[in-house]
Amino acid sequence: MVVKVYGQIKAANPQRVLLCFLEKGIEFEVVHVDLDQLEQKKPQHLLRQPFGQVPAIEDGDLKLFESRAIARYYATKYADQGTDLLGKTLERRAIVDQWMEVENNYLYAVALPLVMNVVFKPKFGEPCDVTLVEELKVKFDKVLDVYENRLATNRYLAGDEFTLADLTHMPGMRYIMNETSLCGLVTSRENVNRWWNEISARPAWKKLMELATY
């Protein structure tokens, strides 16, 4: 059965789910939700995602929202199909979960307001909070220092294999890498830069970028 993904293919959170599906070889259909027109806040979508965000999925009788929960569910359901995104032992899975939490609570928590101010506010004619941006850059620097240390002794965040720990970072990191004023925070760090270059060369990521017409 084809999984319906409600969202916008260019948006970071739906991309997290779609990248998981591409890595696992899961068939999906994107049902476009126009974020610019605030369709995610309309009553029909709120039935799928009560907080007015994307993505949400429908898979038969199953309805889910929150991208990381969706990715974890399908990585588990189709553990023997496509790329193993979970890790082969309980201990490895715990490390995968740990770095998924780090991505959400430390990296994405800083990257989101940073990208909103540097990328999206100018796009919509709103003023960028320059003072806040400089404060966020300092915080992001400190977060990336932790990543640099981790990746100095590990090929990927959870060890020697690409997993959800890496995958969940990619849509948000793309905004950082595509912004001239921000990408130096990554490229100046040997190990983080090496890691990004490797994971962004994966066929599933390249396919997603094609689907998003970047």
Side-chain angles (χ1 to χ4, degrees):
M1 183 177 294
V2 175
V3 183
K4 288 186 176 181
V5 182
Y6 293 85
Q8 188 165 295
I9 198 167
K10 290 180 179 288
N13 289 332
Q15 285 185 354
R16 196 173 286 116
V17 171
L18 298 178
L19 182 56
C20 174
F21 288 178
L22 290 167
E23 287 281 356
K24 300 300 290 183
I26 298 168
E27 290 188 62
F28 61 86
E29 172 192 352
V30 177
V31 181
H32 183 67
V33 177
D34 193 330
L35 303 184
D36 294 338
Q37 298 298 318
L38 297 180
E39 287 185 358
Q40 74 274 24
K41 304 298 184 182
K42 294 183 177 179
Q44 184 178 9
H45 186 71
L46 291 173
L47 293 174
R48 304 183 196 101
Q49 216 290 8
F51 298 100
Q53 303 294 326
V54 292
I57 67 100
E58 291 181 0
D59 185 358
D61 293 332
L62 176 67
K63 295 176 173 61
L64 281 177
F65 59 88
E66 290 300 319
S67 61
R68 295 168 186 83
I70 296 168
R72 189 181 285 110
Y73 168 77
Y74 281 99
T76 304
K77 180 177 181 179
Y78 295 99
D80 297 328
Q81 176 177 313
T83 306
D84 176 12
L85 296 173
L86 296 173
K88 294 180 173 61
T89 65
L90 181 61
E91 291 75 16
R92 185 64 60 191
R93 291 186 179 200
I95 295 172
V96 171
D97 284 345
Q98 170 186 271
W99 283 97
M100 290 179 71
E101 293 292 332
V102 170
E103 181 267 331
N104 191 22
N105 295 315
Y106 297 95
L107 188 137
Y108 194 69
V110 179
L112 179 59
L114 189 56
V115 169
M116 288 297 294
N117 270 277
V118 174
V119 179
F120 288 103
K121 282 191 174 182
K123 176 182 175 182
F124 294 108
E126 299 178 17
C128 170
D129 188 333
V130 178
T131 302
L132 177 61
V133 166
E134 292 308 311
E135 291 174 355
L136 290 169
K137 282 184 177 179
V138 172
K139 291 181 179 179
F140 199 61
D141 247 342
K142 292 179 180 179
V143 171
L144 288 180
D145 283 343
V146 175
Y147 280 72
E148 181 70 5
N149 289 335
R150 174 65 180 174
L151 292 164
T153 54
N154 293 272
R155 181 179 178 184
Y156 299 102
L157 287 170
D160 294 330
E161 304 293 334
F162 177 85
T163 65
L164 284 179
D166 309 287
L167 182 150
T168 56
H169 287 76
M170 296 175 71
M173 285 288 291
R174 180 186 63 80
Y175 284 109
I176 300 294
M177 297 307 297
N178 286 356
E179 177 56 44
T180 304
S181 64
L182 300 177
C183 66
L185 296 168
V186 172
T187 58
S188 63
R189 289 173 167 82
E190 179 182 357
N191 298 309
V192 179
N193 191 51
R194 184 267 309 158
W195 168 73
W196 172 254
N197 287 337
E198 185 167 355
I199 62 177
S200 62
R202 294 182 66 83
W205 178 253
K206 291 183 176 182
K207 178 63 175 178
L208 179 58
M209 294 300 97
E210 290 175 7
L211 293 173
T213 65
Y214 290 120

